[in-house]
Amino acid sequence: MNYVALKMLFGDRAKYLMLLCGLSFAVMLIVQQGSIFWGLMMWSQASITNVNVPIWVTDPGIAQVDEVKPIADTAVDRVRSIDGVEWAVPLYKGLLRARLPNGEYHQVTLTGLESATLIGRPAEVLEGRFEDIRQPDAVVLDQWAVERMGGPTVVTVGTIFELNDKLARIVAIAKTQKSFTNIPVVYTTYERAIHYVPRERRTLSYVLAKAKDEIPVEDVIRRIQSQTGLGAFTAEGFGMKTIVWVLKNTGIGINFGTTILLGFIVGMAIAGQTFYLFTVENLRQFGALKAMGTSTLTLARMIILQAFTVGLTGYGVGVGLATLFGFLAAHGGNLPFAETWQLLLLVLVALLAICIVSASVSIIKLVRLEPGIVFR
Amino acid sequence: MNDDSRPAAVRAQNVVKSFGSGDTQVTVLKGIDLDVYLGELLLLVGESGGGKTTLLSAIAGILDIDDGQIEVLGVPLSGLPSSKRTSFRGQTMGFIYQQFNLLPALTAAENVAVPLFIQKMRRPEALRRARAMLERVGLADRTEFVPKNLSGGQQQRVAIARALINEPRLLICDEPTAALDGPNGQKIMQLLREVGRSPDRCVIVVTHDSRIFHFGDRMANLTDGRIVNIEHIPQEGTA
């Protein structure tokens, strides 16, 4: 009877397409909104992603990566002295104003890397050589900085501008993940970063570290916390801390969460109701099958097969459309869009759950269906 | 009402069926006694609301009765659990409806094969037998047509082929000619008449259509929940 069930499903093309459109739209809505939301969250921890080190050490009261709480310069050596730490380097991170040759001012995030190792540098360089950052007055911009500051005609390799009235010469353009605030990022060496910023008693923003291979990162983090009194986090933990902070302290959590929740409820309601209506419209046919001797169990199996077939097809089309959207609209990292397997799995589970629920409601109706309906 | 020595395919005794409860309770069948014999075509007639369709549903085992007993081919239906009754119905009964109730997405051959699919017969064999059955009802050239591309008479012939494919011993027909014009109705009844003449089968036809009365062997008049009379219908050349 599976054949009959599938013919019933596909046979009425208009009804089937309506059903498929409803489900595909629902899935697309949820996946697209969910991916944009998660993409936005990824952007919020771009500073961590771009630096790409396993351990971050800083003030224990820090709330998120962009809220810098300077610590004493001695922290680097204190972290290095802890058993299990393979290496530890300083990182400067702070906001500064840049003055371009055309007289325009732009706020930038100045990132100072240890000059010997350049740990924390972006992996990909679009133009120039990152190592040239060691030259006098040399800085490296990320591609978003070029875009925000007026494009390659205004800012390119070789351009000289001012940072706090001091000269800065662009030697390379690096590729990074866009950040939530989209403030241009300027890389330089740690020592030069200190030279650019106004004098402060404490200038060290973070200590970046790595645990020795044979020692679990969590153990090293616990040792750093207990022996230095500083806050130490894994990159993932610090990223999640930042995301939680964004969700709690900005309207994004509530606003986007509401949108996604509504999208989810509306999408799933469309999916469930559409399938339920499909079954109700076919009740007479099911009644005829029941009168002819089809058991209720067989009819239930037919409905479940129909629900899962259309559900999985709608899921495939919906995910395909959302992915296409992501590919076209968010290509090149201009829009936040992170379609994760966890989201796809969640939507699949939810969709199958709604298929089961709507199929169950239909089956209950079918169990109560009096085959005598066919005589009316 | 047991006035025949032939074996009874259906035996209804003191069948009572009510709907609703309390002040709104309506008794539709008020003690029906009726035997339907193998090899005959019984017409069930009477005014609308008289209980014909209810009696048909009860005989088919689709509707539970409140009192009395119905035996079909020697099996007491009220003693069977619902699942067994459904299976028994699939194996022994065929149905023809006023509105045909063909599955619109299936071709004529697939529609006819549905009872065989229910019996878990393999699809190629089921379809082969369905096509052969369609040939018997004069639709050999319409086997791959979907119902919407068939005329009313052709659709009813597909429904008859579907009802007969399982070789049921009891054929239950509810107003089989109501949606058809005169000539098509006559053709359908001719087919049913041939089925009814088979010695191991019987056909029950609910109808209002006086133009087809002459196809029956007997006619039971059901009025206000009671069989008020059963008359033998003289056959051509025997009156």
Side-chain angles (χ1 to χ4, degrees):
Chain A
M1 294 300 284
N2 291 347
Y3 176 73
V4 175
L6 292 177
K7 284 279 281 197
M8 281 173 76
L9 180 65
F10 300 132
D12 189 338
R13 287 214 181 117
K15 243 187 248 177
Y16 173 68
L17 286 177
M18 196 182 74
L19 188 59
L20 190 62
C21 284
L23 287 166
S24 303
F25 175 73
V27 170
M28 190 198 74
L29 191 70
I30 298 165
V31 172
Q32 187 228 34
Q33 291 293 307
S35 298
I36 290 175
F37 172 73
W38 195 243
L40 216 49
M41 291 303 100
M42 289 293 102
W43 278 15
S44 74
Q45 54 158 334
S47 300
I48 299 168
T49 316
N50 287 332
V51 169
N52 193 24
V53 295
I55 297 174
W56 289 67
V57 181
T58 184
D59 186 281
I62 195 157
Q64 49 109 352
V65 67
D66 290 326
E67 184 195 65
V68 176
K69 291 189 173 178
I71 52 179
D73 292 345
T74 53
V76 179
D77 289 331
R78 290 171 70 199
V79 173
R80 278 175 183 158
S81 68
I82 289 167
D83 188 32
V85 172
E86 186 166 319
W87 50 253
V89 294
L91 179 84
Y92 176 83
K93 186 175 188 304
L95 292 175
L96 206 62
R97 222 162 25 174
R99 185 172 181 272
L100 300 183
N102 61 10
E104 279 186 15
Y105 283 93
H106 287 276
Q107 195 172 40
V108 298
T109 299
L110 185 64
T111 303
L113 310 172
E114 193 210 31
S115 56
T117 60
L118 297 180
I119 285 173
R121 57 167 281 185
E124 203 175 330
V125 178
L126 300 172
E127 210 178 327
R129 286 179 69 243
F130 200 92
E131 292 74 14
D132 290 345
I133 203 171
R134 295 189 182 105
Q135 294 175 4
D137 302 328
V139 295
V140 174
L141 267 57
D142 69 357
Q143 84 271 35
W144 310 113
V146 175
E147 188 183 287
R148 284 288 304 274
M149 289 172 155
T153 54
V154 179
V155 178
T156 186
V157 171
T159 302
I160 295 172
F161 62 98
E162 290 176 15
L163 282 172
N164 196 21
D165 293 332
K166 298 177 179 81
L167 286 183
R169 184 169 51 89
I170 302 170
V171 293
I173 308 293
K175 187 178 179 184
T176 62
Q177 187 188 41
K178 203 173 194 173
S179 74
F180 189 60
T181 52
N182 198 20
I183 294 174
V185 178
V186 175
Y187 291 93
T188 188
T189 61
Y190 182 79
E191 295 76 15
R192 196 170 305 118
I194 303 302
H195 167 69
Y196 279 132
V197 296
R199 189 70 196 148
E200 287 183 281
R201 193 168 70 86
R202 292 180 163 190
T203 50
L204 179 62
S205 309
Y206 294 99
V207 177
L208 309 176
K210 182 180 179 296
K212 285 181 177 165
D213 286 343
E214 68 276 15
I215 300 174
V217 176
E218 287 74 20
D219 284 356
V220 174
I221 280 175
R222 269 194 294 275
R223 287 178 202 169
I224 295 171
Q225 286 169 340
S226 64
Q227 292 176 34
T228 65
L230 293 167
F233 312 94
T234 60
E236 296 77 23
F238 199 27
M240 196 47 70
K241 192 177 174 71
T242 300
I243 288 175
V244 170
W245 185 90
V246 170
L247 291 176
K248 275 187 184 169
N249 293 279
T250 69
I252 291 174
I254 292 174
N255 289 336
F256 230 102
T258 307
T259 307
I260 291 173
L261 187 68
L262 283 177
F264 195 83
I265 292 170
V266 170
M268 288 302 152
I270 291 172
Q273 193 190 19
T274 314
F275 184 74
Y276 175 69
L277 285 177
F278 175 78
T279 312
V280 168
E281 284 173 10
N282 285 332
L283 266 186
R284 198 178 176 86
Q285 296 180 31
F286 285 118
L289 290 171
K290 203 170 181 179
M292 280 188 275
T294 311
S295 68
T296 304
L297 186 68
T298 304
L299 291 177
R301 280 211 304 262
M302 289 171 70
I303 285 187
I304 289 170
L305 176 68
Q306 289 177 335
F308 275 59
T309 302
V310 77
L312 290 173
T313 312
Y315 175 79
V317 175
V319 168
L321 289 173
T323 307
L324 186 67
F325 168 85
F327 183 76
L328 295 176
H331 189 57
N334 287 314
L335 277 176
F337 194 88
E339 195 178 282
T340 63
W341 67 266
Q342 290 94 335
L343 174 69
L344 297 182
L345 184 66
L346 179 74
V347 175
L348 177 65
V349 169
L351 184 73
L352 293 183
I354 204 73
C355 281
I356 289 170
V357 169
S358 54
S360 302
V361 174
S362 304
I363 288 167
I364 289 169
K365 209 166 175 65
L366 206 68
V367 169
R368 292 179 182 157
L369 174 70
E370 186 199 315
I373 187 176
V374 291
F375 287 129
R376 291 184 201 124
Chain B
M1 299 281 175
N2 192 356
D3 59 351
D4 202 304
S5 57
R6 287 177 293 175
V10 177
R11 175 156 288 169
Q13 292 175 313
N14 192 30
V15 173
V16 177
K17 177 66 187 175
S18 301
F19 293 102
S21 60
D23 292 343
T24 58
Q25 189 177 52
V26 178
T27 303
V28 180
L29 303 179
K30 301 172 179 170
I32 299 284
D33 290 308
L34 176 68
D35 286 351
V36 188
Y37 304 105
L38 289 171
E40 81 165 341
L41 189 154
L42 178 88
L43 298 172
L44 201 52
V45 300
E47 62 194 25
S48 295
K52 301 185 295 297
T53 300
T54 303
L55 179 60
L56 213 55
S57 300
I59 290 171
I62 284 169
L63 196 64
D64 287 325
I65 54 175
D66 300 334
D67 202 4
Q69 193 170 3
I70 296 175
E71 277 184 20
V72 175
L73 302 164
V75 177
L77 288 186
S78 48
L80 290 178
S82 175
S83 59
K84 287 258 171 61
R85 213 186 302 163
T86 302
S87 165
F88 177 73
R89 195 164 58 232
Q91 287 162 3
T92 59
M93 299 182 202
F95 295 90
I96 296 168
Y97 314 101
Q98 180 178 343
Q99 296 301 330
F100 320 136
N101 283 319
L102 299 175
L103 301 182
L106 304 190
T107 64
E110 287 166 342
N111 263 293
V112 173
V114 165
L116 301 177
F117 294 153
I118 295 171
Q119 305 298 326
K120 299 189 183 345
M121 184 179 285
R122 290 179 63 80
R123 193 154 23 114
E125 173 62 12
L127 289 173
R128 189 190 62 74
R129 286 175 58 173
R131 290 189 187 103
M133 183 57 77
L134 281 169
E135 199 175 336
R136 273 181 61 190
V137 298
L139 289 175
D141 57 342
R142 295 286 188 274
T143 58
E144 305 312 312
F145 282 46
V146 290
K148 70 175 181 186
N149 293 333
L150 297 170
S151 69
Q154 288 169 333
Q155 286 189 48
Q156 194 60 299
R157 276 193 276 166
V158 173
I160 290 172
R162 180 179 66 183
L164 296 177
I165 190 79
N166 243 357
E167 298 180 354
R169 298 184 67 195
L170 173 60
L171 196 57
I172 293 175
C173 314
D174 185 34
E175 304 269 11
T177 59
L180 306 176
D181 58 21
N184 269 315
Q186 299 286 317
K187 282 182 198 164
I188 294 302
M189 284 310 296
Q190 190 59 45
L191 263 170
L192 294 177
R193 174 64 273 183
E194 285 166 21
V195 175
R197 286 226 171 103
S198 175
D200 59 345
R201 286 182 181 172
C202 79
V203 180
I204 303 174
V205 176
V206 165
T207 186
H208 282 106
D209 188 352
S210 59
R211 294 170 301 178
I212 63 167
F213 284 176
H214 62 281
F215 287 101
D217 295 306
R218 289 189 302 153
M219 183 157 62
N221 192 330
L222 182 60
T223 301
D224 192 24
R226 291 189 175 85
I227 302 280
V228 292
N229 75 302
I230 296 178
E231 61 180 282
H232 284 272
I233 301 167
Q235 300 300 300
E236 283 175 24
T238 62

